[in-house]
Amino acid sequence: MTRSALSCPLQARRCGGCPLLGTPYPDQLAQKQRRAEELFAAFGPVEPILGQAEPLYYRNKAIATFAPGPGGLVCGTYAAGTHRVLPLPEAGCLLQDQVLNRTLTAVLEAARACRWPAFDEDRGAGLLRHVLVRRAVHTGQVMAVLVTAADRLPGSRNFVTALRKAAPWVTTVVHNCNPRRTSAVLGRDVRVLYGPGHITDTLCGLRFSLSSTSFYQVNPAQTEALYRTALDFAGLTGRETVLDAYCGTGTIGLCAAAAGARQVIGVELTPSAVRDAAANAARNGIKNARFFCADATEWIVQAAKEGFRPDVVFLDPPRAGTTPEFIDAVTAMGPRRLVYVSCGPDTLARDLGLLRRRGWQARRLRPVDLFPHTEHLEMAVLLTRGDAASR
Ligand code: SAH
């Protein structure tokens, strides 16, 4: 574990990506523990935070933005609160997988060789907006996604050849067109330039295929710690029907199926993630899992009316948390356990308050440090209804 404070040349230039880098890691964990205890004091004792053994270079995904600069083009991160691009430091980012740091450099060099201009947000002219790279740490497969403003990418073959020469570990290259004025990095149009268009990773012993637009947790080692905690909270015996709400590529639900759930239903809004989830079930020989593409609240309200009665519900919503309607519908279904996985501690506290009004008690609350050196706080919470006897 890192005991001393670290530094990065971009810190002084306000990259903002790792505000706690100057705080020794054990102190960061103590800070997060205190914050969780303060936020959730009304709901029960908070178990000790699960910290990361090696809290550097953990991110399996990195995004850099292009801007005009030396060599015609630079790429890097925005200075906090601005649209000023800070070129990546030579040693790479301390939070990103080292192979991804090298991949970003190779992408920049290949784009320079193609003489592609950066997109200029103010004038609405130019070509390259961002590059997203993702690495499956267990298989070593790497995806590079070039995001452009226009849908034409002349010379893309030369780009792929140059990139593969400098970074032969890249297994697939994707072109994503995002013409909109938006803070979202990816657009909807996707064209595969090289390889299969997805990468395959393993997590908790299962294989997962990830396309460029699907959500996937960014810290693989800590995701396993988080999922193990969530599965432990679920207390599966082999007889349960499990609902995995906000399921992404189906990771939690499929781990539950592998851990012995009788049946798994996943619900997710992003179509590509739902396709990935179904393919992931097949890839792992899991036949008792089904995935639906829908808004989680709309789906559960309808399913409650139709008499769907899961025994265990996992919910892992985005930072905005879930909705009162979801909570009413899940309560009407009468599951024995709810396992709430949250990346938004404030909305979690709000939702735990709503759940309590519907009779749900938090039985276990555990922070997991999914994002070392940042202020993010991830939580897993087990809730049951009524007295301890029905746990
Ligand atoms: N459990 C997954 C994904 C968690 S992230 C994992 O651990 O990888 C939250 C997911 O919720 C994202 O995949 C996002 O696309 C999805 N989502 C966002 N809003 C949603 C909604 N209203 N209904 C269903 N899914 C939603």
Side-chain angles (χ1 to χ4, degrees):
M1 196 183 278
T2 320
R3 297 222 154 259
S4 56
L6 296 158
S7 70
C8 166
L10 286 197
Q11 235 174 354
R13 303 184 60 201
R14 301 197 301 117
C15 156
C18 46
L20 303 186
L21 196 66
T23 306
Y25 190 55
D27 299 348
Q28 294 181 22
L29 292 176
Q31 269 179 29
K32 290 187 184 182
Q33 181 74 23
R34 272 198 306 279
R35 189 161 153 238
E37 285 168 3
E38 280 163 25
L39 261 173
F40 303 111
F43 299 103
V46 174
E47 296 173 34
I49 187 167
L50 291 172
Q52 182 151 20
E54 299 289 339
L56 288 178
Y57 305 112
Y58 61 83
R59 284 188 62 99
N60 61 9
K61 177 174 107 171
I63 294 170
T65 298
F66 291 101
L73 194 67
V74 291
C75 82
T77 54
Y78 285 133
T82 76
H83 274 198
R84 184 165 54 89
V85 170
L86 303 172
L88 285 176
E90 218 158 278
C93 164
L94 287 172
L95 302 197
Q96 291 163 193
D97 185 312
Q98 302 262 46
V99 176
L100 294 185
N101 282 323
R102 291 199 287 278
T103 310
L104 287 175
T105 306
V107 166
L108 175 63
E109 287 309 322
R112 279 177 175 160
C114 290
R115 301 190 178 283
W116 283 336
F119 180 67
D120 181 329
E121 284 187 341
D122 296 330
R123 291 189 300 121
L127 184 64
L128 298 182
R129 297 186 81 161
H130 313 281
V131 52
L132 179 154
V133 287
R134 231 176 197 186
R135 178 163 185 259
V137 282
H138 290 107
T139 61
Q141 296 177 8
V142 173
M143 165 187 286
V145 185
L146 265 188
V147 186
T148 64
D151 59 359
R152 269 178 44 79
L153 191 57
S156 58
R157 275 199 194 173
N158 293 342
F159 172 79
V160 169
T161 306
L163 176 60
R164 290 263 313 140
K165 194 160 173 227
W169 53 83
V170 172
T171 50
T172 190
V173 182
V174 174
H175 172 204
N176 180 294
C177 171
N178 185 2
R180 289 171 299 164
R181 277 189 169 267
T182 161
S183 58
V185 169
L186 296 177
R188 289 193 207 102
D189 292 338
V190 175
R191 194 160 56 99
V192 177
L193 300 178
Y194 173 77
H198 55 81
I199 54 174
T200 301
D201 200 9
T202 61
L203 197 63
C204 298
L206 298 179
R207 290 174 76 78
F208 290 100
S209 165
L210 317 163
S211 53
S212 57
T213 49
S214 300
F215 176 87
Y216 190 60
Q217 299 283 2
V218 297
N219 184 333
Q222 289 301 91
T223 298
E224 292 198 338
L226 176 69
Y227 287 2
R228 271 194 220 105
T229 306
L231 286 174
D232 175 37
F233 285 2
L236 299 173
T237 64
R239 290 190 298 270
E240 291 81 7
T241 294
V242 168
L243 173 63
D244 180 6
Y246 308 90
C247 69
T249 53
T251 41
I252 296 180
L254 292 174
C255 289
R262 191 172 59 82
Q263 191 197 1
V264 172
I265 306 286
V267 182
E268 159 65 43
L269 195 57
T270 306
S272 65
V274 178
R275 283 194 296 274
D276 285 348
N280 287 332
R283 181 168 290 107
N284 289 289
I286 294 174
K287 298 200 171 66
N288 55 347
R290 286 177 67 198
F291 295 92
F292 294 91
C293 186
D295 169 73
T297 296
E298 284 175 17
W299 189 90
I300 202 169
V301 166
Q302 187 58 32
K305 280 188 200 146
E306 290 168 12
F308 177 55
R309 296 282 177 265
D311 302 293
V312 175
V313 175
F314 292 96
L315 68 157
D316 182 7
R319 222 166 281 169
T322 190
T323 61
E325 294 80 12
F326 183 101
I327 289 171
D328 285 344
V330 85
T331 305
M333 286 175 166
R336 278 190 292 111
R337 290 175 183 228
L338 281 189
V339 181
Y340 195 143
V341 176
S342 161
C343 58
D346 297 322
T347 54
L348 174 63
R350 177 200 69 197
D351 291 345
L352 290 181
L354 292 173
L355 283 158
R356 186 160 56 189
R357 267 181 251 149
R358 295 281 175 271
W360 291 96
Q361 302 294 327
R363 305 289 179 193
R364 299 186 63 182
L365 296 121
R366 180 137 216 183
V368 180
D369 195 20
L370 220 50
F371 306 97
H373 309 294
T374 78
E375 281 157 353
H376 288 283
L377 182 62
E378 185 89 13
M379 295 289 302
V381 182
L382 167 66
L383 300 108
T384 63
R385 291 192 89 204
D387 57 25
S390 63
R391 268 183 246 172

